[in-house]
Amino acid sequence: IDRIAEANTNGKLLIVGLGAAKYQQAAYNLEYPAKDVADFARFFQRASDDRIVETLLLTDSLLTKARLNDIRLFLKKAQPADRLLFLYSGHGMLTDDKDLYLASWDMDFANPEQEGISIYELEQLLKDCPAREKALFIDACHSGWLDEEALASNYSKYGKGVKGDPAPSGNA
């Protein structure tokens, strides 16, 4: 954290926070993701000292797949000396092909491919950003290493219909 927040007159700190606590399909609402991204941004803004900080936060109904171009334009203005911190907080869904989709406000939880944000789209946004130093934080189900054996065990234990079942209310 100290290294991220160090003063660097040669570059800015860019913060992108995506957090959906409220969804169009209200059965999937969560408690804290929008607050988490705001707190994340506030923490690094305060810790940045003399560094110029630019922030883009898309929360709840502002977090749609259609807004990916806004993120792309925000990241495109980065310079190689800049640092990027990118946080997503919300639901993560796996397709039948085990592709990860991050939930947007208007995602159909039965068909995440339609309006969900593919992890591959997110990776491409980061690759296209000229900043050399980048950190991606994902606070969502299925965002870590995929254990095929555990996944198969859960499918057999709970049934394959887990994909479209409402999530319990609470944290992601």
Side-chain angles (χ1 to χ4, degrees):
I1 290 176
D2 292 335
R3 187 171 177 337
I4 290 171
E6 284 175 353
N8 177 354
T9 56
N10 295 328
K12 301 178 295 238
L13 176 60
L14 304 175
I15 300 171
V16 176
L18 309 179
K22 307 294 182 218
Y23 295 93
Q24 198 169 39
Q25 291 178 293
Y28 293 93
N29 285 354
L30 298 170
E31 192 69 30
Y32 299 109
K35 178 188 179 308
D36 289 347
V37 296
D39 289 348
F40 178 88
R42 192 172 20 262
F43 173 83
F44 283 104
Q45 286 168 341
R46 289 181 182 157
S48 67
D49 296 326
D50 295 331
R51 179 184 288 273
I52 295 170
V53 179
E54 294 183 17
T55 304
L56 175 63
L57 299 181
L58 299 176
T59 59
D60 296 333
S61 64
L62 297 177
L63 177 52
T64 63
K65 190 171 182 173
R67 298 291 304 265
L68 288 180
N69 196 50
D70 294 341
I71 299 168
R72 188 174 290 106
L73 293 173
F74 178 81
L75 296 178
K76 194 173 237 181
K77 63 184 177 181
Q79 300 297 314
D82 295 341
R83 291 182 179 146
L84 170 64
L85 300 178
F86 198 117
L87 170 66
Y88 171 85
S89 183
H91 284 293
M93 305 280 300
L94 289 179
T95 64
D96 290 336
D97 294 330
K98 298 179 185 67
D99 291 326
L100 175 62
Y101 281 81
L102 303 174
S104 60
W105 173 79
D106 55 350
M107 183 180 88
D108 178 356
F109 280 79
N111 295 299
E113 300 95 328
Q114 288 183 4
E115 292 300 322
I117 301 167
S118 164
I119 190 65
Y120 303 115
E121 292 173 296
L122 201 59
E123 286 175 350
Q124 193 60 53
L125 286 172
L126 269 65
K127 284 180 186 176
D128 292 344
C129 176
R132 272 182 283 209
E133 296 182 20
K134 306 167 193 174
L136 173 62
F137 303 88
I138 300 177
D139 178 13
C141 289
H142 307 294
S143 62
W145 176 66
L146 180 62
D147 182 344
E148 297 281 343
E149 187 175 310
L151 184 62
S153 171
N154 282 338
Y155 273 180
S156 65
K157 183 176 179 183
Y158 299 110
K160 197 167 183 184
V162 170
K163 179 172 99 170
D165 294 340
S169 61
N171 291 336

